[in-house]
């Protein structure tokens, strides 16, 4: 029985790693207030096209606070300017907490030099931090 559980856990982990490796964009949200992943945060991906934002995908963070495949599947990531918007206000309302930031937009540029872009968000009710992850 334990061998089967271990095999299932290993397969699940390898599937997540494959999805992250095969998709060019992932995000991760960590709640700094309690040190735990932020589950069910809605994240919207947009591309800048002719001076306006065009929505290209939307997803929610999983139980680990991650979206391993935010870019549309079967599409190659094109160079350009993108925006990932974390809908933190909705998430805090669901947690029955107040927050200063109703959403957190992160604008970044894809120049084609990297095969994968990762955007972590360290979140608290009245502040946040983000960076280009790996």
């Amino acid at each position: 029985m334990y061998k089967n559980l271990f095999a299932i856990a290993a397969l699940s982990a390898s599937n997540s790693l494959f999805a992250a490796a095969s998709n060019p964009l992932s995000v991760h949200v960590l709640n700094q207030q309690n040190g735990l992943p932020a589950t069910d945060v809605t994240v919207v991906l947009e591309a800048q096209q002719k001076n306006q934002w065009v929505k290209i995908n939307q997803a929610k963070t999983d139980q680990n606070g991650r979206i391993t495949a935010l870019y549309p599947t079967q599409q190659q990531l094109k160079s350009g300017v993108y925006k990932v918007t974390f809908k933190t206000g909705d998430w805090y309302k669901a947690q029955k907490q107040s927050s200063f930031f109703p959403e957190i937009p992160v604008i970044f540029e894809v120049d084609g030099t990297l095969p994968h872009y990762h955007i972590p968000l360290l979140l608290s009710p009245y502040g946040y931090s983000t960076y280009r992850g790996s």
Side-chain angles (χ1 to χ4, degrees):
M1 176 175 143
Y2 291 113
K3 288 181 184 176
N4 288 342
L5 290 175
F6 179 74
I8 291 169
L11 182 60
S12 175
S14 67
N15 284 343
S16 292
L17 290 174
F18 176 76
S22 63
N23 192 280
L25 182 61
S26 60
V27 299
H28 184 203
V29 183
L30 181 65
N31 182 351
Q32 285 187 304
Q33 194 171 14
N34 61 12
L36 299 174
T39 302
D40 290 328
V41 176
T42 299
V43 181
V44 177
L45 173 63
E46 297 171 286
Q48 190 176 53
Q49 297 176 1
K50 298 180 182 174
N51 293 323
Q52 55 185 319
W53 293 109
V54 176
K55 182 178 171 181
I56 56 176
N57 201 11
Q58 177 175 317
K60 286 191 173 212
T61 57
D62 65 14
Q63 70 276 6
N64 295 315
R66 296 179 183 274
I67 301 172
T68 58
L70 186 56
Y71 201 76
T73 57
Q74 308 303 322
Q75 291 184 29
Q76 185 175 358
L77 182 63
K78 298 175 185 171
S79 295
V81 177
Y82 292 85
K83 178 169 56 171
V84 172
T85 303
F86 298 89
K87 300 294 189 171
T88 52
D90 295 339
W91 184 78
Y92 272 113
K93 283 178 190 171
Q95 308 301 311
K96 297 182 171 65
Q97 285 188 286
S98 61
S99 170
F100 185 67
F101 301 101
E103 60 183 31
I104 298 172
V106 178
I107 300 171
F108 61 100
E109 187 169 6
V110 170
D111 63 6
T113 60
L114 298 173
H116 181 81
Y117 292 81
H118 180 67
I119 302 172
L121 178 68
L122 304 174
L123 179 63
S124 71
Y126 301 100
Y128 64 90
S129 177
T130 187
Y131 55 94
R132 185 182 81 179
S134 59

